[in-house]
Amino acid sequence: MNDDELDRVFKALGDPTRRRIIDRLRERPKQSLFEICALSFADDGAPLSRQAVTQHLDMLQKAGLVRVEWSGRTKLHTLDPGPLREAFGLWLRNHL
Amino acid sequence: MRIYVSSVFVDDQSKALDFYTRLLGFRVKNDVPVGEHRWLTVVSPEDPDGTELLLEPSDHPAVKPYKAALVEDGIPATSFQVDDIDSEYDRLVSLGVSFAREPMDAGPVRMAVLDDTCGNLVQLIQMKGA
């Protein structure tokens, strides 16, 4: 992981909604956009617009934190904690 | 003013008729030839005079990309209410219906999402405590 990739991980983490999406995907992998929006509203009472979630998922995906797979013609999102571990090993660990 | 009909775009009206009646359990209310297609509506046997569901042909050029985009994001084209979603799920799975999401809790409801084989996802909802 180079500096740019590390930047993308920390930028992806630097937003409360994206951290919420990460928390949700850890609890339940393989969610469609519809499920991410419906479940976050059901559980937190805070509605997330689909456009906003789409953009957040895009940033998470570019940081390697979310993987996309297809189930038939539906796109499903799953958390990949790999880049978090790498960010920990590369930098965070030095200060803990 | 009343809502007497709501619609889903189906890839094939005959296939849709089979799915929505034989599998989901709705009944035909209107089946009228209109050109090469039909004005084809179904109702719930629990509410035969209630709102009809129009099984509408998908051949307008805007429909295909619209449906594909909804399915890509997992968004149901319509939603039906059931009293016991878990037994309904078991019944439909035993009939070969494919579910994109098995029943799960979502706040005040329990929901599941199935594939209608006509290009749509369909949500089932059970109100909890009902």
Side-chain angles (χ1 to χ4, degrees):
Chain A
M1 180 177 271
N2 60 34
D3 265 342
D4 285 345
E5 288 163 338
L6 196 58
D7 284 352
R8 280 199 283 275
V9 171
F10 284 122
K11 276 180 190 153
L13 296 176
D15 179 274
T17 302
R18 287 196 290 277
R19 292 195 298 274
R20 252 176 76 196
I21 293 172
I22 288 173
D23 293 342
R24 295 253 151 272
L25 292 178
R26 171 172 289 279
E27 285 170 29
R28 185 186 284 276
K30 297 187 181 187
Q31 291 189 51
S32 68
L33 178 64
F34 172 76
E35 286 163 345
I36 293 170
C37 295
L39 289 175
S40 67
F41 178 62
D43 293 346
D44 304 340
L48 293 173
S49 80
R50 283 175 188 144
Q51 290 97 321
V53 174
T54 300
Q55 286 169 10
H56 287 313
L57 284 171
D58 191 46
M59 281 197 71
L60 290 166
Q61 214 181 317
K62 283 181 177 142
L65 291 165
V66 163
R67 276 184 291 107
V68 163
E69 66 191 284
W70 290 84
S71 168
R73 293 174 299 120
T74 301
K75 221 180 185 182
L76 301 181
H77 306 82
T78 296
L79 176 67
D80 183 350
L84 288 181
R85 281 193 214 102
E86 281 192 67
F88 176 80
L90 276 174
W91 191 80
L92 280 173
R93 190 172 55 187
N94 302 338
H95 301 280
L96 295 169
Chain B
M1 201 178 293
R2 295 182 303 281
I3 299 173
Y4 80 105
V5 72
S6 174
S7 69
V8 286
F9 288 110
V10 295
D11 294 343
D12 178 324
Q13 283 188 304
S14 300
K15 194 174 165 191
L17 178 61
D18 180 64
F19 186 88
Y20 281 80
T21 57
R22 187 174 60 83
L23 299 178
L24 293 189
F26 295 139
R27 286 184 193 152
V28 176
K29 176 93 173 206
N30 286 293
D31 187 354
V32 183
V34 182
E36 56 179 311
H37 298 297
R38 301 139 79 176
W39 178 263
L40 177 61
T41 71
V42 296
V43 287
S44 166
E46 297 168 40
D47 190 13
D49 297 318
T51 306
E52 296 165 48
L53 182 71
L54 174 65
L55 304 175
E56 190 164 10
S58 285
D59 54 355
H60 188 283
V63 174
K64 199 176 171 186
Y66 162 78
K67 288 172 73 173
L70 290 185
V71 170
E72 175 172 335
D73 285 340
I75 300 171
T78 190
S79 181
F80 303 128
Q81 187 176 354
V82 296
D83 293 331
D84 182 345
I85 199 166
D86 294 282
S87 68
E88 197 65 44
Y89 170 80
D90 290 340
R91 183 184 78 82
L92 291 170
V93 166
S94 75
L95 292 172
V97 174
S98 153
F99 276 76
R101 177 59 74 187
E102 67 286 0
M104 65 173 184
D105 289 318
V109 304
R110 219 166 141 65
M111 58 163 271
V113 179
L114 60 83
D115 179 343
D116 81 347
T117 71
C118 299
N120 303 293
L121 298 173
V122 170
Q123 185 179 41
L124 299 183
I125 283 281
Q126 177 190 348
M127 301 295 169
K128 281 195 228 160

